[in-house]
Amino acid sequence: MEDCIMRSPLILWCGRSAGEDLLQSGPVTSLTEHVDIAPTILDLLGIKPDWGIHGESLLPIATGRRRKEAVFADGGHEAGMRGRFSFKPEGRDGTPKKLNGKQLTYQQCPDSMARTKMVRTERWKLVIRETGGNELYDMQADPWELNNLWNDYPSNPILRDAVLDLQQKMIEWCLRTDTDRPYQEQVGA
C-alpha cells in the first residue's frame, strides 16, 4: 500500500460543451480514487445514477471547490485462499516445480497477501492487515514511508488521536462499501 504504488496520474479532458470550469482548472493535487472516475463521467453527462455506486464526482475537486478528506484501498486474500499456496507444486513427472516471483513469495510468505485495508489523508496513512504488521505514517514528515509509527501510537497522544480518527474513517468506509453478500464457496469470494 506504498504511495509509490497507490498514486497514479489521471488526466481529465473534455470538450467545451462539458463545462468551461474544467477547461480552466489546471493541475489538481487533491487525493482521489479510481472509483471516482465513473461518477465523474456520469456527472459530466448529466446522469444521476439511481443505483448504488462507490466514489464521487471529481468535478468539484478538479475545479478547486473542494478537496477529499480521505482515500481508501483494500486488497489481499482470505486465509483459505492463502492456504492454497502452502503446497509444493510438482511437474507432470513428479519433480518439484520451480516457482518464481509472486508464486514463490506467496508460498514462502503467505501472509504477504493477507487481507489489507488502507486509509490515507493529506497527513496520515494507516494500513491494517488481517495478520498484523500494521503501519502508520506521517506523510508530511515521512513521505517515503520509512518510519513506521504503529508501535509508538499507544504512548503518543498525537499518534493515538490520528489512529482513532483514521480507524473511524475506515470503519465508516467499510460500512458504506463492503459487500453485503455472504461468502460464496463455489467461486471463492
Side-chain angles (χ1 to χ4, degrees):
M1 299 277 174
E2 291 90 359
D3 258 22
C4 63
I5 296 170
M6 302 304 294
R7 294 180 72 128
S8 58
L10 170 67
I11 297 174
L12 280 176
W13 181 89
C14 51
R16 283 194 190 282
S17 62
E20 295 295 320
D21 288 349
L22 250 174
L23 293 170
Q24 307 300 322
S25 65
V28 174
T29 59
S30 177
L31 298 169
T32 61
E33 301 170 274
H34 282 103
V35 295
D36 297 331
I37 295 171
T40 303
I41 292 169
L42 293 172
D43 193 9
L44 283 166
L45 295 172
I47 298 172
K48 303 273 188 244
D50 58 355
W51 63 91
I53 187 167
H54 298 310
E56 59 189 85
S57 174
L58 293 173
L59 294 186
I61 293 166
T63 56
R65 294 191 306 262
R66 74 183 243 11
R67 294 181 73 81
K68 260 194 159 177
E69 184 180 349
V71 293
F72 305 87
D74 67 347
H77 302 286
E78 293 81 8
M81 170 76 83
R82 295 192 311 271
R84 286 180 262 204
F85 286 97
S86 63
F87 70 96
K88 302 249 189 253
E90 296 179 350
R92 290 185 182 172
D93 61 359
T95 60
K97 199 174 186 182
K98 185 175 180 180
L99 297 176
N100 312 332
K102 278 188 179 181
Q103 294 147 337
L104 183 61
T105 301
Y106 290 169
Q107 185 188 58
Q108 293 177 349
C109 308
D111 286 349
S112 68
M113 62 176 197
R115 293 288 302 144
T116 303
K117 294 196 184 274
M118 180 215 61
V119 56
R120 164 88 154 82
T121 63
E122 295 284 343
R123 174 151 187 207
W124 301 103
K125 178 189 277 190
L126 176 65
V127 179
I128 302 290
R129 289 188 179 79
E130 174 189 10
T131 55
N134 300 331
E135 301 171 59
L136 173 67
Y137 298 101
D138 181 339
M139 300 303 291
Q140 291 174 351
D142 181 21
W144 296 104
E145 301 172 62
L146 300 174
N147 185 24
N148 183 358
L149 302 169
W150 178 256
N151 291 329
D152 300 334
Y153 95 85
S155 60
N156 182 317
I158 293 171
L159 298 179
R160 192 171 47 248
D161 288 348
V163 167
L164 289 172
D165 180 56
L166 293 166
Q167 287 176 331
Q168 182 67 33
K169 286 176 178 22
M170 187 179 291
I171 290 167
E172 290 171 2
W173 171 71
C174 288
L175 290 170
R176 282 192 314 271
T177 63
D178 281 356
T179 181
D180 58 356
R181 289 183 221 118
Y183 177 78
Q184 301 291 316
E185 189 170 325
Q186 67 273 19
V187 296

